[in-house]
Amino acid sequence: MLWDYAHIRLIDIRHMLFKAGDKLTSYRFPAAGFLYMVRGNVVFRLNGNKHAAERFHILHSGKGGQLDIDWVREEMEFYFIFYKASLSLTSGSGVRRLFERNSPFQKQYEFAPNAPVALLSQVKEMHRKWLDSSSLERIQIKAMLYQFVYEVERQRQAYGVYPVKPDLVEQAVRYIREYYSQPITLSSIAEQLNYSVAYVAKQFKSKTGTSLIDFLIRTRIDKAQELLLNTDASLQEVAAGVGYTDLSYFIRIFKKTTGVTPGNFKSLALGSAKGSDRPKIRLRLSNAGWAEPSYIVNDHDNHYQYRRKGDLPMVRNTNMSMGAAMLLCLVLMLSACSSGNSPVNSVNAGPSPVSSVQTETSPPDSAANSKSTRVYKDSQGHEVDIPERPQRIVLQGNSIGDLLALGIQPVGVDRRFIEESVYLDKETTPAQDIGFPTNLELVLDLEPDLTMLGYVMDKQYEEVSKISPTVVFDQSKPLSERLPVIGEIVGKKAEAEQLLSEYNRKAENMWSGLHQEGKLAEGETAVVLIYYWNKTMYLMKTGGIPALLYQPQGYKMSEAVKEIEPAEGAPYIEVSPELMHKMLIGDHLFVIYPANADAENSFNELMKTALWSSLPAVKSGKVTFVETKWNYDDMLTSSMLLDEFPKLLAK
């Protein structure tokens, strides 16, 4: 999907020749790109992983990937194709989150294509046209690049034909381990291996002692456990990544196999890890006060993250028709072994930091409230009959903390925004993970009486509105504007205004205290930098931490920073080390960072440079480091940050 939304710019096409005995040491990809080997015999390493390749070999790496060619056995001819992918300013936040978390442009892989001739012809023609300076030719090259990518991806996904025919059972095992994330049945494997179903089943059972399907399930569950422990993927992404498109079925089969739900498995494993001598991941900063991060599994960021190595398979948006969705749900209900919705995650209930609004479970008049309706006009002009007090809300977007602060426990959410939050324990009843892109079949199964869309993709509104009353709101608005809208939608406008009033009063008290204690001078300026594991940096002016800093009684934004805007066609304000002195203008510097080893290592390298040491805020010791989990502006996070912020300044 991201290939559709992204702006792709071809940077360079190079034709290269290496003689026998030549080497290439620590070559870094200047951009995402392909290496297509036409002829030769070579041993190479991609980010330390050793491979041997002959003619017609393809490898792909994201920007910064390290390539080492240890030994060219015979003359090697190859092409480099470099490109840059970016999102437009008009891209929705959901697309941006997908770009941050699961970018295909950073993936690293290598393989020998089964049908290399078509690829070779495309590459040669692209290179020929690239050497032509005509702008018209360059337009055609871009179209050819998409054709090349399609052919590479098609062959890569179809790759799996082994040059030597192995033992039947070994072949079946290898097939399962390689394609466990794809739809697999006993019949499909038998067809792939050119044997009868009965023969494959008998041979597999005889040699392994288990059925092929049981082995497939065990393989998928083992992979799911790895993803749950070692990645920040949501349950929907994990399920899809191991071959289960139905989240409810995945949860049932996981529990049947392991004895616990996926959420309980992750909670228990993390609890055990925290009690052991597992090292805490933290930044070691020597020249400025910093916030000690608590250990978190999720290492992706709020708004601007480029996904690290080890990408998960993209969740597929099937665009199933409503009729097909209804039929599927009917079949699932008839075949289900148990009733009710399985919890998506296990969390312990805790007191809300916003004390004035109590959690609302099932009030005595809930039935009457849910039946009474009113007409609401949403941000896109839809006039919708919605319940006065909806009881079963599904939310698409990142405003979960707003609903929880209002005492609303939604039945369905995109759990990525729960799992990486500072309020993990604020759900009394964990909501079902509707995934991203939103799984409409799951939404249908939840039977919502109201669906709230913080953003809309394609013709999604028409599809969702067939399931339940659906309203669209702008989740990108600041808290002071967004919370009253959400409060009005859920029938709690007065409570929303009360929360904002208490928040503003609490913020004024916090800022007054900081001024009185001498921790904040009148007119003191601040600038916010968000830093990433791959050494990319961005200047932040709105949302998250800046939304707190630039409150009336807080820090000021310097006039120089006010004038800085993103480059044309760029979604964010990128900062290079050479431009730090021209862009990071403020008395106090706030650095937002992800708590992971990659960010630590790369940031420590930056801190050793003269450019960093000579920054005014660094020289004066006014640098504060904040984990990305605080970089949200929902009501729960914002309220908790008021308590945390003075502690950050004191460190």
Side-chain angles (χ1 to χ4, degrees):
M1 185 185 76
L2 286 177
W3 282 99
D4 292 332
Y5 282 94
H7 169 70
I8 306 299
R9 181 165 63 90
L10 187 60
I11 295 177
D12 195 10
I13 302 178
R14 305 175 191 173
H15 180 224
M16 310 290 290
L17 284 173
F18 278 14
K19 296 180 180 179
D22 284 350
K23 293 183 179 181
L24 182 66
T25 304
S26 300
Y27 176 78
R28 294 281 182 180
F29 275 63
F34 297 91
L35 184 153
Y36 185 62
M37 181 175 169
V38 178
R39 59 188 172 92
N41 193 318
V42 66
V43 175
F44 70 91
R45 284 176 290 124
L46 181 58
N47 290 327
N49 296 318
K50 192 173 183 179
H51 307 275
E54 297 181 353
R55 65 188 183 95
F56 297 135
H57 206 89
I58 289 178
L59 68 88
H60 178 274
S61 176
K63 179 181 179 181
Q66 180 175 317
L67 175 66
D68 297 272
I69 298 179
D70 297 333
W71 178 33
V72 177
R73 297 175 180 174
E74 57 187 53
E75 190 175 61
M76 175 185 177
E77 178 185 3
F78 62 96
Y79 291 85
F80 273 127
I81 302 173
F82 295 116
Y83 67 91
K84 183 176 181 180
S86 61
L87 295 181
S88 68
L89 289 169
T90 57
S91 297
S93 59
V95 175
R96 293 180 184 178
R97 294 292 303 182
L98 185 58
F99 184 86
E100 293 163 1
R101 292 173 54 86
N102 197 27
S103 170
F105 316 114
Q106 285 297 112
K107 289 184 178 180
Q108 299 159 354
Y109 54 82
E110 58 84 26
F111 72 103
N114 294 327
V117 177
L119 288 174
L120 178 59
S121 298
Q122 289 180 2
V123 171
K124 285 186 174 181
E125 184 66 10
M126 288 171 63
H127 182 250
R128 185 185 68 80
K129 291 183 180 295
W130 180 255
L131 297 178
D132 189 328
S133 59
S134 168
S135 59
L136 190 60
E137 295 289 340
R138 294 295 174 91
I139 294 175
Q140 187 177 11
I141 294 174
K142 186 172 181 179
M144 295 177 68
L145 174 63
Y146 278 99
Q147 293 175 350
F148 174 79
V149 170
Y150 166 76
E151 185 65 21
V152 169
E153 287 298 307
R154 186 187 69 80
Q155 293 200 36
R156 185 177 71 84
Q157 293 177 21
Y159 183 70
V161 178
Y162 304 99
V164 178
K165 188 175 182 179
D167 175 84
L168 169 61
V169 175
E170 291 179 358
Q171 192 176 12
V173 168
R174 292 174 66 183
Y175 185 87
I176 289 173
R177 287 176 175 169
E178 186 169 358
Y179 293 100
Y180 63 86
S181 62
Q182 304 298 322
I184 294 178
T185 64
L186 179 58
S187 297
S188 67
I189 291 182
E191 182 179 357
Q192 177 73 21
L193 303 180
N194 200 27
Y195 288 97
S196 69
V197 171
Y199 183 76
V200 172
K202 182 178 180 180
Q203 291 296 313
F204 200 96
K205 180 75 173 181
S206 175
K207 284 199 172 186
T208 65
T210 186
S211 72
L212 185 145
I213 296 303
D214 284 343
F215 179 82
L216 170 62
I217 291 172
R218 183 71 257 182
T219 299
R220 285 174 165 173
I221 298 304
D222 287 345
K223 296 294 182 181
Q225 290 176 326
E226 292 178 15
L227 293 176
L228 287 167
L229 294 180
N230 300 321
T231 75
D232 55 2
S234 68
L235 287 184
Q236 181 70 54
E237 291 169 325
V238 170
V242 298
Y244 294 107
T245 57
D246 186 292
L247 181 59
S248 297
Y249 179 73
F250 166 69
I251 293 173
R252 291 199 297 270
I253 202 71
F254 190 101
K255 184 174 182 180
K256 181 179 179 181
T257 305
T258 66
V260 294
T261 65
N264 283 335
F265 169 80
K266 186 170 184 176
S267 298
L268 291 171
L270 292 181
S272 175
K274 289 180 180 179
S276 67
D277 58 355
R278 181 173 180 173
K280 177 183 278 191
I281 300 173
R282 55 176 288 174
L283 287 170
R284 300 177 184 87
L285 307 177
S286 57
N287 63 343
W290 71 290
E292 179 182 359
S294 60
Y295 179 80
I296 57 173
V297 175
N298 303 322
D299 59 7
H300 58 275
D301 306 321
N302 291 16
H303 306 289
Y304 309 101
Q305 159 99 10
Y306 289 93
R307 183 76 175 98
R308 300 200 294 161
K309 53 193 174 184
D311 292 287
L312 299 174
M314 191 182 302
V315 178
R316 300 189 178 192
N317 189 359
T318 58
N319 290 328
M320 181 180 294
S321 67
M322 291 306 301
M326 290 292 291
L327 179 60
L328 174 61
C329 289
L330 177 60
V331 172
L332 290 175
M333 286 187 287
L334 292 175
S335 61
C337 297
S338 60
S339 60
N341 295 323
S342 301
V344 179
N345 201 352
S346 291
V347 292
N348 298 320
S352 169
V354 186
S355 59
S356 63
V357 178
Q358 300 298 319
T359 299
E360 182 176 80
T361 54
S362 297
D365 60 345
S366 61
N369 286 334
S370 62
K371 291 181 180 179
S372 177
T373 63
R374 57 194 167 92
V375 176
Y376 179 80
K377 187 175 182 179
D378 69 10
S379 63
Q380 291 192 343
H382 306 117
E383 293 188 351
V384 189
D385 282 325
I386 64 174
E388 288 284 355
R389 286 289 182 111
Q391 302 300 306
R392 297 185 60 82
I393 296 177
V394 168
L395 170 68
Q396 174 182 280
N398 60 9
S399 300
I400 306 161
D402 294 332
L403 288 181
L404 295 177
L406 288 166
I408 299 292
Q409 297 285 334
V411 296
V413 298
D414 182 348
R415 292 202 67 85
R416 293 175 301 163
F417 302 109
I418 287 282
E419 292 165 356
E420 64 188 41
S421 72
V422 295
Y423 50 84
L424 285 171
D425 59 348
K426 303 309 175 187
E427 290 179 290
T428 58
T429 305
Q432 177 88 347
D433 187 358
I434 61 174
F436 179 83
T438 299
N439 187 319
L440 297 183
E441 295 91 290
L442 285 177
V443 174
L444 182 63
D445 192 46
L446 289 172
E447 299 180 352
D449 57 7
L450 177 66
T451 301
M452 299 173 60
L453 304 180
Y455 60 88
V456 181
M457 297 174 61
D458 300 327
K459 298 181 179 179
Q460 191 180 52
Y461 181 85
E462 288 75 9
E463 292 294 323
V464 177
S465 61
K466 295 174 184 177
I467 299 175
S468 74
T470 302
V471 296
V472 181
F473 68 98
D474 186 354
Q475 67 179 19
S476 66
K477 286 185 176 295
L479 176 65
S480 59
E481 299 178 25
R482 184 185 65 250
L483 192 65
V485 172
I486 292 177
E488 184 178 3
I489 292 172
V490 301
K492 292 198 171 188
K493 186 175 182 180
E495 290 90 332
E497 293 174 351
Q498 180 186 357
L499 283 176
L500 283 174
S501 177
E502 291 187 357
Y503 172 82
N504 291 332
R505 182 167 54 252
K506 185 177 178 181
E508 289 177 4
N509 292 336
M510 183 201 73
W511 290 120
S512 296
L514 292 176
H515 280 289
Q516 293 172 7
E517 295 170 8
K519 295 180 180 179
L520 174 60
E522 190 66 33
E524 185 172 353
T525 59
V527 64
V528 183
L529 177 74
I530 186 164
Y531 188 86
Y532 294 100
W533 65 272
N534 61 352
K535 301 183 181 180
T536 55
M537 301 179 287
Y538 298 93
L539 175 66
M540 285 192 67
K541 296 169 62 176
T542 58
I545 297 297
L548 171 66
L549 296 179
Y550 298 134
Q551 289 181 354
Q553 286 188 284
Y555 293 89
K556 308 303 178 184
M557 184 186 297
S558 68
E559 293 300 322
V561 172
K562 287 181 182 179
E563 295 177 358
I564 299 175
E565 297 294 337
E568 184 177 357
Y572 315 119
I573 306 175
E574 187 166 2
V575 179
S576 65
E578 295 77 14
L579 294 177
M580 287 193 299
H581 280 265
K582 294 184 178 180
M583 301 179 72
L584 302 183
I585 301 174
D587 301 317
H588 202 123
L589 173 61
F590 290 84
V591 180
I592 305 172
Y593 68 94
N596 63 63
D598 288 326
E600 173 188 349
N601 294 334
S602 60
F603 194 80
N604 280 338
E605 292 179 11
L606 175 65
M607 291 179 59
K608 295 175 183 178
T609 65
L611 286 171
W612 173 263
S613 301
S614 59
L615 286 173
V618 175
K619 293 171 70 174
S620 63
K622 289 190 173 183
V623 181
T624 299
F625 294 86
V626 187
E627 282 189 71
T628 52
K629 66 180 181 180
W630 291 105
N631 198 31
Y632 288 90
D633 67 347
D634 63 88
M635 177 51 78
L636 273 187
T637 303
S638 297
S639 182
M640 296 172 72
L641 183 57
L642 292 180
D643 296 324
E644 185 70 16
F645 188 73
K647 301 176 186 177
L648 297 176
L649 292 180
K651 292 182 179 180

